[in-house]
Amino acid sequence: MAPAKYHRFRNGERCDECGARQWYAQDALRYCRNGHRLEGFADHEGDEDAFGTQGRVSRRKKEVRKKVAVKLTGDEGRELYLEALQLILLRQVWWLVKEKDFPDDFEQIVRALWTLRVRNLPLRESGESAERKRRKGKGVDGDPDTYASSAASNTLFSSQSDGIGFESSDFDLSDATTATWVPDASRRWKLPKLVDTLALCYLGCLVRRLPATTADFCRWAQKGEIDFLAAFNGIPRNVRDRLPAEYHRALQVKDHIPAGRLQVAVQELVISFKVNFDTVFPPLNYVPILVRFMTDLTLPIETYLVVKCITNILETDYSYPTGGKKVRTMDKPEVLLISLLVVSVKLLYPLDDIERPPRSQEDLRSVKIDWKRWQEAMREETNETSSNLLRGEEYKVTAEDVLSLDKTKLDDFMDWFEKMWIGDGDSKTDERIQQSFQAQGLPSRPSDQSEQSDQDRDIEQIRTRYAAMNGFMKTVEPVSDSEEETGTKKGSQARDFCPIWRTQEDLPNAAMALYSKAADLAAIPLNTLIRGATQVERKLEVWCAQQARKQQDNGKGKGVWTGNEDMEE
């Protein structure tokens, strides 16, 4: 008799009588190793006719267990948030250097600013520097100098990060003041925010004297060119899984940057750099920015001369304020620049339909603008009139508008929606959502040629507008002071009178159109521009009064204005 061939029981099974774990088959019956018969088993030998008649055997697939990443908390979670924020900043800098032809040393400038920004944060040291200090008997946690170590800063700004390439409605992650970044045991970390990445890039432009504005950064971010609105989707999956929920909210934005938000972030950083490190940034390179504002608003060249004159009167250099108890609206250089431009237009070309004739042909007011025709020339396409959705304004589409969009605009909206909100989260969910949008392989708007076509279209639009403006500008006959005093020109007010409008309701139609265009161009709220223009006009009023007082005291001479007079808000 042939020796029995033993087999192992399946997992968890054994003989009920003796507990043996092996069995063998004999005479179509199954026995355990000790000879106890096992119930419920019969081996039938099939004949040759039954060969191949067995059906297909299906085996149950094992469910794939998802690995749940452990959420980091405390200092580790905060440091991971900083590393994710740094990765976003790196992508922004590289896009500016590669796509906008920023200088090669721009990355080094932003790197230095980022190092200063995180220097006073209690970051853990890693590598040889921490080990060296431990050997010297200095504990990492007990030495305050370790918070400012260069090793920790360099580790945070490493170019060897993985994945090369909104914030929430609450702007502050900390309840502490933004003036100082020194860690306080009684308060939370004063962490940088997502909008601070754009602010640091802008400060790098100030250091390098590049003519870029906060409005440019807002426009690039809104169009999805620079990494900001959908930056959270670009963070590696393993990093997102380990970030706490509060930092998820901090790295996600809704759909746009509120007007003036980036200006506030830049001003906070400028003051904080001054308080913490006594760092002062150079003034704004305002001349090319002013020329760009003028061309975008289709204004005559004489406006530039008036802005330069008022700049000399105010004795400003367009620097960000770093001291004082209160920062006024006009203290912000970009707000001041666009306010001076609006005030200069008011002085040269009245916006209230009141005739103010020049004194001579050499007077800059000898030319008049037909503001109604200017509004017609400045009329731009909207989402309703354009054949495509305007880039950067997709967020304005409401749920009711989606139902009435045509095929082309709907494709544009879905392209934007996919880029903004569909990341690499749940793969099954992504597949179900993307199946509806993958019928057409190519997007409705090619991204490679869109930027160049936009630039060409803007240049051609500026030429067309200036050609139209030359046709509706009129010459005004000069009127001497004696003729005006005798009343030959009835209905005219004092030629040097300039009305002050403090609210939107006070603005005439032409002024509303100009102010709105200028506010959109500078990416600031309309009320901010009105307030800044009012403050500039108040300063000019004080200067004129002081100059007249000087002339009365001295008979003649040039008035000297100190600029320390009190102003109304």
Side-chain angles (χ1 to χ4, degrees), residues 234-484:
I235 300 175
R237 175 66 182 274
N238 58 339
V239 176
R240 296 203 308 264
D241 292 342
R242 299 173 69 85
L243 275 176
E246 58 179 316
Y247 301 122
H248 279 235
R249 293 191 297 268
L251 292 173
Q252 289 176 320
V253 297
K254 289 187 175 180
D255 48 20
H256 70 287
I257 305 176
R261 173 59 185 135
L262 187 55
Q263 286 270 1
V264 175
V266 171
Q267 183 62 66
E268 290 177 353
L269 282 180
V270 169
I271 295 177
S272 298
F273 274 112
K274 174 63 177 178
V275 172
N276 290 275
F277 309 109
D278 197 21
T279 301
V280 179
F281 290 89
L284 189 70
N285 188 9
Y286 75 96
V287 173
I289 298 176
L290 175 60
V291 173
R292 183 147 54 94
F293 283 169
M294 290 174 52
T295 54
D296 290 341
L297 293 174
T298 319
L299 298 175
I301 190 61
E302 289 79 9
T303 312
Y304 175 82
L305 302 178
V306 178
V307 173
K308 291 284 289 185
C309 180
I310 299 178
T311 299
N312 295 333
I313 291 175
L314 299 181
E315 297 180 353
T316 181
D317 61 350
Y318 298 97
S319 298
Y320 276 90
T322 56
K325 297 182 179 179
K326 185 177 181 180
V327 177
R328 297 168 300 183
T329 302
M330 64 167 291
D331 291 336
K332 301 174 183 178
E334 290 189 11
V335 178
L336 175 61
L337 184 60
I338 195 67
S339 300
L340 290 184
L341 183 60
V342 169
V343 172
S344 301
V345 174
K346 288 177 61 177
L347 294 174
L348 289 179
Y349 315 105
L351 297 166
D352 52 0
D353 295 332
I354 296 179
E355 184 179 356
R356 296 181 180 87
R359 290 185 173 87
S360 63
Q361 293 291 346
E362 289 76 15
D363 196 333
L364 295 179
R365 294 172 293 183
S366 59
V367 179
K368 179 181 178 181
I369 296 180
D370 189 345
W371 287 109
K372 292 183 179 179
R373 298 184 62 181
W374 179 86
Q375 295 181 47
E376 295 177 358
M378 292 296 295
R379 186 174 292 111
E380 297 180 350
E381 288 186 335
T382 61
N383 286 334
E384 290 75 15
T385 60
S386 175
S387 58
N388 292 81
L389 287 182
L390 299 181
R391 294 187 61 192
E393 297 186 4
E394 295 91 348
Y395 71 94
K396 297 181 180 179
V397 177
T398 62
E400 292 77 10
D401 296 336
V402 173
L403 300 177
S404 59
L405 292 178
D406 57 20
K407 183 178 181 299
T408 303
K409 293 182 179 180
L410 188 60
D411 288 343
D412 295 339
F413 180 76
M414 290 304 177
D415 292 342
W416 172 79
F417 186 87
E418 180 182 3
K419 181 179 180 181
M420 282 291 300
W421 306 114
I422 301 180
D424 58 346
D426 188 358
S427 58
K428 295 182 179 179
T429 303
D430 290 347
E431 291 176 1
R432 290 195 296 267
I433 296 178
Q434 293 177 355
Q435 283 177 357
S436 303
F437 311 130
Q438 289 179 347
Q440 297 180 358
L442 296 177
S444 58
R445 289 181 296 188
S447 57
D448 297 338
Q449 302 176 356
S450 59
E451 183 177 357
Q452 184 64 30
S453 61
D454 289 345
Q455 293 178 357
D456 296 340
R457 185 175 62 252
D458 292 342
I459 294 175
E460 185 62 28
Q461 190 178 48
I462 291 174
R463 292 176 180 174
T464 304
R465 288 175 177 175
Y466 269 100
M469 186 187 69
N470 293 332
F472 57 71
M473 293 190 68
K474 303 177 182 179
T475 304
V476 182
E477 296 182 1
V479 177
S480 61
D481 293 335
S482 59
E483 292 180 354
E484 186 176 10

Side-chain angles (χ1 to χ4, degrees), residues 158-197:
S158 174
S159 299
Q160 299 177 355
S161 303
D162 296 334
I164 299 305
F166 180 16
E167 66 187 7
S168 62
S169 59
D170 298 331
F171 290 140
D172 293 328
L173 284 176
S174 173
D175 55 353
T177 177
T178 59
T180 176
W181 296 325
V182 178
D184 188 355
S186 62
R187 293 181 177 180
R188 301 175 60 187
W189 276 14
K190 302 164 184 64
L191 293 173
K193 300 174 284 292
L194 180 60
V195 71
D196 290 339
T197 58

